[in-house]
Amino acid sequence: MKFIKNLIKESKKMYNENNIFAKILRKEIPCDKVYEDGFSLFFNDINPQAKIHILGIPKFPCDTFSDFLKNADSETISSFFKSVQIVIDDLNIEQSGYRLITNSGEDGGQEVPHFHIHILAGEKIGRIR
Ligand code: AMP
């Protein structure tokens, strides 16, 4: 148990509270909000790569997908992923299709160190490389 608590502490130490999405969550800088509930916030990407390009972030402080899955509780995790589907339903893109992306770490090309999911839709999203 102590080992697990130390692991969680180590992970928390790595989270950078000054990242831009942490600032958006603290309302220090604005965002173009699409959906929000107690666990999650969704907003339009400032530099859209498709007609629809939304970012979804959990309010839980975590830098990557793995950090989120390892350290958030089950309700927080399930609520976040259910809210992804709520946004998909709100946008009415389930039939036409969409792509979900999460970039993690250096090799994944992650720029903002707060776990986020990109929702891309509204047109054909090309092949991955
Ligand atoms: P990633 O490379 O997966 O970390 O993606 C970071 C994304 O955040 C990029 O698509 C940026 O365009 C987007 N982004 C950065 N700053 C903002 C902001 N202030 N509001 C909305 N999107 C942002």
Side-chain angles (χ1 to χ4, degrees):
M1 198 60 191
K2 200 172 170 194
F3 173 67
I4 291 172
K5 279 184 184 159
N6 282 339
L7 270 183
I8 291 171
K9 265 192 226 151
E10 281 299 313
S11 157
K12 291 295 142 225
K13 257 191 252 163
M14 289 170 64
Y15 179 75
N16 174 5
E17 298 280 352
N18 289 320
N19 78 73
I20 198 140
F21 295 167
K23 289 180 182 174
I24 286 175
L25 283 172
R26 291 195 299 268
K27 302 195 189 320
E28 291 167 10
I29 60 168
C31 72
D32 185 10
K33 184 163 79 176
V34 172
Y35 174 82
E36 182 173 16
D37 61 26
F39 293 98
S40 313
L41 175 66
F42 290 74
F43 50 94
N44 285 308
D45 195 292
I46 207 165
N47 181 23
Q49 302 299 306
K51 282 186 184 153
I52 294 172
H53 187 171
I54 290 169
L55 300 172
I57 63 176
K59 293 185 175 179
F60 182 82
C62 52
D63 53 12
T64 62
F65 171 82
S66 299
D67 184 12
F68 184 51
L69 269 285
K70 285 179 178 174
N71 295 313
D73 64 37
S74 303
E75 187 188 11
T76 302
I77 294 169
S78 74
S79 176
F80 174 72
F81 286 105
K82 283 182 180 172
S83 64
V84 174
Q85 183 60 41
I86 289 171
V87 171
I88 288 166
D89 287 340
D90 286 351
L91 294 168
N92 198 23
I93 54 171
E94 188 169 336
Q95 290 306 314
S96 50
Y98 54 85
R99 181 174 296 163
L100 302 181
I101 297 174
T102 184
N103 298 319
S104 184
E106 210 176 313
D107 283 358
Q110 183 177 7
E111 286 169 14
V112 180
H114 181 109
F115 165 56
H116 50 282
I117 278 191
H118 298 254
I119 304 174
L120 296 157
E123 61 184 303
K124 290 212 184 320
I125 310 296
R127 296 173 70 87
I128 301 174
R129 273 215 282 184

